[in-house]
Amino acid sequence: MKIKNVYPELEGGLYSVKTETDREFFISCETESDENPILKYKKSSEKKWKTALMLKDGEKYVGSFLPKSPGLYQYSIDGYGKILEVIVEKKYARFAAWYEMFPRSQGIQPGKSATFADCEKRLSDIKKMGFDVIYLPPIHPIGKSFRKGPNNSLSAGPNDPGCPWAIGNEQGGHKSIEPELGTIDDFRHFVKEAKKIGIEIALDIALQCSPDHPYVKEHPEWFHKRADGTIAYAENPPKKYEDIYPLNFYPPNKDEMWREMKSIFTFWRKQGVTHFRVDNPHTKPTEFWKWVIHEVKKEYSDTVFFAEAFTNYDKLEELARVGFSQSYTYFTWRNGKNELIEYVTKLTNSYLTNFLRANFFTNTPDICPPLIRTGGRPAFKMRMAIASTLSSLYGIYSGYELCDGNAYPGTETYIDSEKYQYKVWDWNKPGNIKYYIEKINELRRTNPALQYYDNLRIYNSNNDNILFYGKKYKDNILLIAANLNPHEIQDARVTVPVEKFGISSDADYIVEELITGKNYIWHGRENYVRLEPQKEPVYIFRLDGNVAAKRSFAKNELAIQHSKKFFELREKVVKHNDVYARRELATFFNNEILWRVYIGETFDKNYAGIINAEAKKLGFLSIIHAYF
């Protein structure tokens, strides 16, 4: 039997695809034979293959298996000469909400570092908002040589803590704890308390050193040298980072060096850390990542590796192919409708979904995007809502919930960044959006459609400021309308592909808006929304096609009066081509009717029901249909 076009596979099996333990893994192929192909599969550590008959589905044959535990699996098809691999990870590799927290900024005393005990006090607040993963920047001793001062100044005062990414001093390196934060036992206790309430801990792994790191004295050959024999510090022209020494991954004793780097990951796994956010992996050899990820996963198969690589598509894909579970992306800078559509379509509706999962962070300690800096509270709500619904993975950097957009004008650099100083936050600051984040995360937990990554579909809206999209999982169907302009009210006609949801194009059906809790009757494919960013910049609709729409409206004299005037003006326009009547009709519709009948904050159910009923008496689907 000749087998061809086996899917999924990466470059003929050179790399492994990815899936998760909570979903069926499907494999398809084509053959000219009339016989049903036989699928073989097993965990790589097992000797005996399991088999399943593949069934015909159109022009292809499809088979599947459900991996019950994380690890590396193999699959093949009888008659196909290659054995392919799939990396199976836990559900949280695909579905999670991340919260980036600076441990030293969780206290209440100005000018003093918080401790892991202080961090424990914040766990319940973070859990209440609905986060699954707390990500910590480096927690190691910080270098003293060339230590950076407040706002990244070149000279630090005697009490300035320095930047956590300048790792290592006489108190230890990558396997040590900054003494101000506590001890290794304190850290273990923090991890344990987090796990009790369902929060995983992610740790930043930055494979770089301060000039004071023990590696510098013990292994000077692990660093790059200048012509004069001195160790080269990091540079990203015109910026210079004298407080950081990059590592040379190809020293004479490469094997020893790589094993030591691996031991950093396994050391923290033994302390209870399950996730690693890897700093700047694109500046290190891909060969190293392929090796170390595989080695760590042999011991700890449920480890999540998150690539902090703000880089080009090719490198982004390369890192994901060799094993990174998740990837940072340029979502942080994608604001316009067309650029968002282009970007998320490529990430979630292409071959990339077989191995790349994009984690949409709204901001980072280094990036305060202009939109949230200038768009205020509506922008913070909107960006969080679309990040968490476009992808099944998203994250925020602490302070986002307080709508902190305090950056230098015209830049993305936070003022008084906690990267370089101690900071005390008021976690209940007036104007915060903690309740909103809690609501969105609750919707993610209770709607399976939002827990998947590759089910995103973009739908049409006739307004360049309104992004309309949806996600479907079995009978859980969600439609999201987002106003991308945080400054102005926007309305649009949105197109619902009802035929894909088992609804007739001329049928009424109910959608429940999940943020406000309101129900609306929609009709067919074309419906109308109006979003006021100061109130709700994003609507999340859950479609219910099984409930018959009930038409029971209280009498509304205003609707009757408006209907009479509307159709009188419309008749003048149609019969007499009256330009003045056309202008008056447009003004009247926009000022008096539109905001009462478009789905939104000002929608009036009784008014809309009555005026639409009047329009139907004259042969129109609705008053909007009559107008357009």
Side-chain angles (χ1 to χ4, degrees):
M1 181 185 295
K2 185 178 179 182
I3 302 295
K4 60 182 180 179
N5 296 333
V6 176
Y7 182 87
E9 55 82 28
L10 281 179
E11 299 186 25
L14 183 62
Y15 301 100
S16 305
V17 296
K18 297 189 184 83
T19 191
E20 304 86 40
T21 53
D22 70 324
R23 70 189 309 187
E24 197 89 1
F25 181 64
F26 289 92
I27 301 99
S28 65
C29 71
E30 295 178 9
T31 178
E32 295 175 0
S33 171
D34 292 331
E35 295 181 47
N36 291 56
I38 302 295
L39 170 67
K40 304 190 302 181
Y41 63 94
K42 69 181 183 69
K43 206 165 187 178
S44 295
S45 58
E46 298 173 342
K47 293 183 179 180
K48 188 175 180 180
W49 290 91
K50 298 180 179 69
T51 60
L53 189 68
M54 301 182 75
L55 302 177
K56 195 168 181 63
D57 183 9
E59 298 299 316
K60 297 181 179 181
Y61 286 88
V62 178
S64 68
F65 66 93
L66 179 63
K68 295 181 179 179
S69 61
L72 187 65
Y73 287 71
Q74 295 177 325
Y75 59 99
S76 186
I77 301 170
D78 273 351
Y80 182 70
K82 292 181 179 178
I83 295 176
L84 304 173
E85 293 183 332
V86 54
I87 299 172
V88 177
E89 298 178 286
K90 283 192 173 181
K91 179 182 178 180
Y92 55 48
R94 184 198 70 240
F95 172 64
W98 286 53
Y99 183 88
E100 181 173 0
M101 178 177 86
F102 265 71
R104 70 188 184 193
S105 297
Q106 307 309 306
I108 58 175
Q109 295 186 44
K112 183 178 180 181
S113 175
T115 65
F116 289 122
D118 294 314
C119 295
E120 288 182 19
K121 295 174 184 176
R122 287 224 55 229
L123 287 174
S124 60
D125 187 38
I126 296 169
K127 183 62 179 178
K128 189 173 187 296
M129 284 190 285
F131 290 99
D132 311 292
V133 179
I134 291 178
Y135 151 49
L136 306 178
I139 56 174
H140 319 300
I142 298 171
K144 297 176 181 177
S145 298
F146 304 102
R147 177 175 282 194
K148 296 296 181 69
N151 292 305
N152 202 20
S153 61
L154 295 179
S155 58
N159 298 317
D160 291 329
C163 177
W165 280 271
I167 298 169
N169 61 32
E170 71 280 0
Q171 294 167 317
H174 285 75
K175 300 174 190 174
S176 301
I177 296 280
E178 166 58 46
E180 288 190 329
L181 296 174
T183 66
I184 193 70
D185 287 336
D186 295 330
F187 177 73
R188 290 193 196 102
H189 193 270
F190 167 72
V191 174
K192 184 179 179 181
E193 292 301 302
K195 286 184 179 293
K196 281 182 182 178
I197 59 173
I199 292 178
E200 300 292 327
I201 297 299
L203 182 61
D204 192 297
I205 298 294
L207 297 183
Q208 60 198 32
C209 302
S210 85
D212 309 315
H213 196 292
Y215 288 159
V216 176
K217 290 182 179 179
E218 296 168 2
H219 294 284
E221 73 277 11
W222 291 359
F223 299 89
H224 298 280
K225 303 289 179 61
R226 291 193 178 87
D228 62 3
T230 59
I231 295 177
Y233 54 75
E235 294 187 68
N236 185 15
K239 295 180 180 180
K240 297 181 179 181
Y241 303 93
E242 296 93 339
D243 58 337
I244 293 175
Y245 286 169
L247 286 161
N248 170 21
F249 281 81
Y250 293 103
N253 54 348
K254 186 196 84 169
D255 291 347
E256 178 188 354
M257 188 256 196
W258 283 26
R259 285 195 300 270
E260 175 62 19
M261 296 301 105
K262 175 203 166 186
S263 73
I264 295 171
F265 293 98
T266 55
F267 174 85
W268 291 108
R269 279 287 347 217
K270 291 173 184 175
Q271 316 312 317
V273 173
T274 54
H275 293 54
F276 295 109
R277 181 270 200 188
V278 177
D279 190 66
N280 284 327
H282 54 294
T283 62
K284 285 82 176 173
T286 301
E287 176 192 10
F288 167 76
W289 294 122
K290 183 176 183 180
W291 174 82
V292 78
I293 291 172
H294 181 75
E295 288 295 305
V296 172
K297 279 183 169 287
K298 281 199 299 187
E299 296 182 48
Y300 301 96
S301 59
D302 60 340
T303 307
V304 169
F305 285 86
F306 182 14
E308 188 262 352
F310 291 109
T311 184
N312 58 65
Y313 266 133
D314 290 341
K315 179 60 74 170
L316 176 78
E317 294 178 24
E318 182 181 290
L319 291 167
R321 276 198 299 268
V322 300
F324 276 96
S325 313
Q326 301 173 10
S327 305
Y328 274 78
T329 70
Y330 283 122
F331 167 79
T332 319
W333 295 278
R334 296 295 189 266
N335 300 310
K337 177 179 176 179
N338 290 335
E339 62 182 353
L340 274 169
I341 291 174
E342 183 274 334
Y343 198 59
V344 301
T345 300
K346 180 177 178 66
L347 290 173
T348 66
N349 284 263
S350 73
Y351 65 96
L352 295 177
T353 59
N354 289 321
F355 63 96
L356 188 151
R357 306 182 187 99
N359 191 323
F360 284 178
F361 258 74
T362 57
N363 63 329
T364 78
D366 295 304
I367 307 165
C368 179
L371 187 64
I372 63 173
R373 184 172 59 78
T374 60
R377 197 164 179 268
F380 280 89
K381 291 175 67 175
M382 178 267 289
R383 290 294 292 180
M384 180 267 164
I386 66 171
S388 62
T389 53
L390 285 171
S391 177
S392 54
L393 293 161
Y394 88 102
I396 67 170
Y397 159 52
S398 62
Y400 190 94
E401 69 268 42
L402 307 179
C403 300
D404 176 35
N406 190 23
Y408 289 101
T411 76
E412 298 177 347
T413 304
Y414 283 98
I415 297 173
D416 297 328
S417 170
E418 59 189 338
K419 277 184 68 177
Y420 308 102
Q421 64 190 68
Y422 303 117
K423 201 158 186 175
V424 173
W425 295 91
D426 175 3
W427 298 111
N428 294 303
K429 177 184 174 183
N432 71 74
I433 58 169
K434 290 166 64 174
Y435 79 94
Y436 187 78
I437 294 172
E438 179 183 351
K439 181 66 177 180
I440 299 295
N441 281 333
E442 178 192 359
L443 296 180
R444 282 165 49 89
R445 286 193 305 273
T446 55
N447 288 276
L450 295 177
Q451 298 173 18
Y452 287 84
Y453 175 76
D454 51 1
N455 59 342
L456 175 70
R457 299 295 180 265
I458 303 295
Y459 303 131
N460 184 63
S461 82
N462 68 341
N463 183 333
D464 286 341
N465 287 295
I466 291 185
L467 180 66
F468 188 55
Y469 55 98
K471 286 192 168 187
K472 178 181 184 294
Y473 179 76
K474 296 182 179 179
D475 60 352
N476 184 225
I477 302 168
L478 299 184
L479 304 168
I480 298 100
N483 181 353
L484 303 177
N485 182 340
H487 306 286
E488 298 176 346
I489 297 171
Q490 301 289 330
D491 52 61
R493 181 181 76 246
V494 295
T495 303
V496 181
V498 289
E499 63 279 2
K500 295 182 179 180
F501 305 144
I503 298 173
S504 171
S505 62
D506 63 348
D508 288 345
Y509 52 97
I510 290 177
V511 293
E512 178 188 4
E513 202 293 297
L514 299 177
I515 296 175
T516 62
K518 296 179 180 178
N519 291 332
Y520 301 98
I521 296 174
W522 279 12
H523 179 87
R525 296 188 182 93
E526 306 299 326
N527 293 280
Y528 297 81
V529 296
R530 177 180 172 87
L531 292 110
E532 301 183 42
Q534 294 296 334
K535 294 179 179 177
E536 295 298 343
V538 176
Y539 286 141
I540 301 176
F541 301 101
R542 183 161 57 202
L543 186 151
D544 190 343
N546 298 319
V547 179
K550 297 180 180 179
R551 298 180 181 84
S552 178
F553 307 108
K555 188 175 182 180
N556 191 297
E557 291 294 337
L558 183 64
I560 294 172
Q561 293 172 17
H562 283 178
S563 174
K564 182 179 179 181
K565 181 175 181 179
F566 174 90
F567 284 106
E568 286 175 352
L569 288 170
R570 189 181 187 284
E571 187 175 14
K572 291 180 181 179
V573 173
V574 173
K575 286 189 175 181
H576 308 295
N577 197 23
D578 189 328
V579 175
Y580 296 103
R582 184 182 299 275
R583 291 175 183 169
E584 186 179 355
L585 178 63
T587 300
F588 178 65
F589 179 80
N590 284 282
N591 291 349
E592 298 294 338
I593 297 176
L594 179 151
W595 55 274
R596 291 184 168 101
V597 297
Y598 274 37
I599 300 304
E601 287 292 321
T602 55
F603 177 81
D604 186 325
K605 178 181 177 181
N606 288 321
Y607 177 95
I610 296 299
I611 202 169
N612 285 332
E614 294 297 307
K616 287 177 181 179
K617 290 178 182 177
L618 298 173
F620 300 101
L621 296 175
S622 65
I623 194 70
I624 301 172
H625 177 221
Y627 176 75
F628 284 113

